[in-house]
Every structure is written in structure tokens, then in C-alpha cells.
Amino acid sequence: MSTLKEQLYILCATYLRNRETDIKSAIAAAQEAANEDTKSSAGDKFETGRESVQQEIDLNLVRLNELNKMKTALELIIPAQKGSIAAPGSLVFTNNGIFYVAISAGQLKVDGATYIAISAASPIGTNFMGQTAGYEFSFNGKKYKIEKVV
């Protein structure tokens, strides 16, 4: 039986794989559309269409690059690592939810409970880093108190 942190780690890895598949599919579809587009007598329309497709490809390449940075950050996490100081890979229990410090993947559900996967570099993640139970701070008008770090 895997631990909660291992399950969350696997969900984050799955999130990244799915995003990578989506981005690569979007790039392939845009490239295919560009390849199928034939030059018509309306040259300006053709060039505008090709430029639009190229911008879409470029945007998705930027997304893919960001995704690769997230993959690298996730690979540095050791799910079995334990500690009472918030660090990448920690579960941070607060009065406003339970946060898994790994990558920005949003809400993850395990056994009916909701966990929020955040990056250590995110605004709320930077508030957690290096802190222990009892630490309090305000973020976006909400007061947070760390109850436990696992």
C-alpha cells in the first residue's frame, strides 16, 4: 500500500503526462493545419493564417518548456521523505486546507479528501517554505495557520 504522499506524487506525475500529451497534440494539429494550408490567390489571407498557426505552435512550445521545468521539480521530490519543516514534497495542513508542495497541479483527490498541489515557488508556497506548525500568515485576505507539516 502506498503512502498518501506517494499517491499525491503519482497524481502529479499523471497530471504532467496528460498535459504533455495535450500540448504535443495541439502542436501536431497546428503543424498539420499549416502543412495542409495551400497558397491561394488571396496571398495575404494565406500568410495571416500561417502566422496565426506559427503563433499557436510557439505558444505551445513555451507551455511545453514550462511543463518540462515542472517535471524536473517533481523529479527532485522524494515522496518517502519526512520532516516537520515545510519543503518540496511536504504535506502542509492548515486551517484553510491541506497543501502538497510539489507542482502547481490544482486540486487532487485521494480517498475522498481534497489536497491542493502547489509549487514551492508559488506565492503561497513561498509562505510555507521553511516553516513549521504554529506559523501564521495572511495571503489574499485570508489568515493561514500551519497546523502540521508531514
Side-chain angles (χ1 to χ4, degrees):
M1 185 74 180
S2 57
T3 67
L4 173 59
K5 289 201 310 186
E6 288 169 333
Q7 291 175 40
L8 291 168
Y9 182 91
I10 290 166
L11 287 173
C12 286
T14 301
Y15 169 83
L16 290 177
R17 276 194 306 277
N18 292 341
R19 291 264 304 134
E20 182 176 30
T21 299
D22 292 347
I23 293 168
K24 286 182 175 179
S25 293
I27 291 170
Q31 189 61 52
E32 187 177 319
N35 294 341
E36 289 176 0
D37 203 2
T38 58
K39 190 162 188 165
S40 65
S41 59
D44 287 345
K45 181 180 177 188
F46 170 77
E47 291 303 323
T48 302
R50 298 262 311 170
E51 179 61 27
S52 175
V53 167
Q54 188 57 51
Q55 287 177 358
E56 184 177 339
I57 290 170
D58 291 346
L59 176 63
N60 280 304
L61 288 173
V62 168
R63 288 179 178 147
L64 193 57
N65 186 41
E66 288 302 313
L67 185 89
N68 285 329
K69 290 177 186 175
M70 290 172 70
K71 283 169 77 173
T72 300
L74 187 63
E75 289 168 357
L76 295 174
I77 292 173
I78 302 165
Q81 184 175 323
K82 296 181 183 194
S84 60
I85 299 171
S90 293
L91 266 174
V92 181
F93 293 77
T94 75
N95 59 318
N96 285 309
I98 307 168
F99 296 84
Y100 178 54
V101 184
I103 61 165
S104 295
Q107 292 188 354
L108 304 174
K109 295 202 184 280
V110 176
D111 296 330
T114 301
Y115 304 87
I116 304 162
I118 60 167
S119 162
S122 68
I124 196 161
T126 58
N127 277 293
F128 290 147
M129 291 300 91
Q131 302 302 329
T132 59
Y135 178 72
E136 295 182 37
F137 64 95
S138 291
F139 179 74
N140 284 346
K142 266 187 171 176
K143 291 191 185 278
Y144 287 81
K145 181 175 182 179
I146 297 176
E147 298 167 347
K148 175 171 72 167
V149 177
V150 182

